Amino acid sequence: MTAQSGGPAGGRWRESERALEAGIDFERANAARIYDYLLGGACNFAVDREQAARILAQNPDMADVCRANRDFLRRAVEWCLAHGITQFLDLGSGVPTAGNVHEIALAHRPEARVAYVDFEPVAVAHAHEVVGGLENVSVTRADMRDTHGVLAAPGVRDLLDPDRPIALLTVAVLHFVPDPELPAILARYRAAMTSGSAHVMSHGSADHDDPELAARTRAIQDGYRGSATEVVLRSRPEIRDLLGDTELVAPGLVDIVDWPTASPGERPTGGYAAIARIH
């Protein structure tokens, strides 16, 4: 692993690493650690870097796609804050990198609250190091498919006020969840949130009119084969179904680079993004 254990947080990192080591899959690459590597992070293993190399060989744009997702996350968080939403439940939050949700939110609204949830042990351990000492930020290790377990976890239950709007963040994570019950799982999260909340989502897809764009996205899917987190490319209608009967804010379901405004000079990512209002 390339994550450094020195520095002021080194002792806590080693302790977290030892506590979670039993759950780490050292043999297969993981999406959270691959994403970290492609964004220039250091919390990844050789197996993740090797898988990332295969992904880049299939689609050299993959690092740009990751950065575009990160940029969308920033814009989405800022949109939520501008619309009075100061609580965030980030499912599949991954390894913290520059521009974390809490960094963006707290910079604008010091009273904002952020609950990170991920299942990957390295992501969770490093997240604890990044947010240590921040009383308005929590990190929970849980499987996002376990709605009750997530919402009942102390880091979520004791931090987020269900009577106030919450932003449910599922950014670049749902295409790693093959569960056919995913629409119902997400509906249960939304049902637990009060009116005025929002569901933020981005999701990879090969459902495009441009055959070259569709091929690039399928190439990313091929690059993840054999990892612990293979990619499920849903169609545009299937992605819309993940948002249930919610109302999409303008411009609706569009390429990640085109939310909230079209960016004709930007190379499309092949991923769709949207924000849905929860009434």
Side-chain angles (χ1 to χ4, degrees):
M1 186 172 70
T2 61
Q4 284 80 27
S5 58
R12 295 196 307 274
W13 164 260
R14 285 190 294 271
E15 182 180 348
S16 298
E17 187 178 28
R18 283 194 297 269
L20 292 169
E21 191 175 63
I24 298 175
D25 185 346
F26 292 97
E27 302 300 321
R28 293 186 299 168
N30 177 276
R33 302 191 308 258
I34 293 170
Y35 194 67
D36 170 69
Y37 172 71
L38 291 170
L39 287 172
C43 291
N44 47 78
F45 303 119
V47 67
D48 304 305
R49 298 188 289 278
E50 291 165 5
Q51 191 87 37
R54 289 195 288 273
I55 295 168
L56 289 168
Q58 294 277 1
N59 186 338
D61 290 343
M62 186 57 186
D64 293 333
V65 171
C66 291
R67 286 190 287 270
N69 252 302
R70 203 71 183 176
D71 289 343
F72 164 68
L73 176 63
R74 173 185 53 78
R75 297 193 300 272
V77 169
E78 291 174 346
W79 182 93
C80 291
L81 294 169
H83 288 79
I85 304 174
T86 59
Q87 301 189 110
F88 299 87
L89 176 58
D90 189 355
L91 301 181
S93 50
V95 177
T97 57
N100 299 311
V101 173
H102 73 275
E103 291 177 336
I104 301 165
L106 294 175
H108 292 277
R109 298 288 294 271
E111 76 280 14
R113 300 179 180 186
V114 179
Y116 291 117
V117 176
D118 205 293
F119 190 71
E120 207 288 315
V122 172
V124 173
H126 192 61
H128 277 294
E129 296 307 313
V130 171
V131 307
L134 296 176
E135 64 180 29
N136 281 8
V137 185
S138 69
V139 180
T140 298
R141 188 184 180 203
D143 188 331
M144 63 163 286
R145 294 172 296 179
D146 179 10
T147 310
H148 175 75
V150 169
L151 295 177
V156 176
R157 180 195 63 212
D158 297 341
L159 181 67
L160 304 182
D161 181 353
D163 294 326
R164 293 174 46 231
I166 296 171
L168 175 66
L169 307 180
T170 57
V171 176
V173 64
L174 299 180
H175 45 242
F176 296 112
V177 184
D179 197 320
E181 296 300 313
L182 186 57
I185 292 168
L186 295 172
R188 288 196 288 273
Y189 279 108
R190 292 192 298 267
M193 296 176 180
T194 192
S195 177
S197 297
H199 185 174
V200 176
M201 181 180 70
S202 67
H203 194 300
S205 177
D207 185 0
H208 304 287
D209 294 333
D210 180 353
E212 191 270 338
L213 179 58
R216 281 197 284 128
T217 311
R218 284 193 293 270
I220 293 173
Q221 181 185 42
D222 291 341
Y224 274 93
R225 294 196 193 284
S227 73
T229 44
E230 296 195 355
V231 171
V232 179
L233 294 178
R234 295 180 173 90
S235 68
R236 184 183 172 99
E238 287 173 329
I239 294 172
R240 179 61 184 89
D241 285 347
L242 295 178
L243 295 168
D245 58 359
T246 57
E247 171 198 355
L248 301 192
V249 304
L253 190 64
V254 296
D255 192 276
I256 291 165
V257 299
D258 292 327
W259 198 101
T261 55
S263 301
E266 293 284 337
R267 186 170 171 83
T269 65
Y272 287 112
I275 292 183
R277 295 182 185 274
I278 299 174
H279 296 291

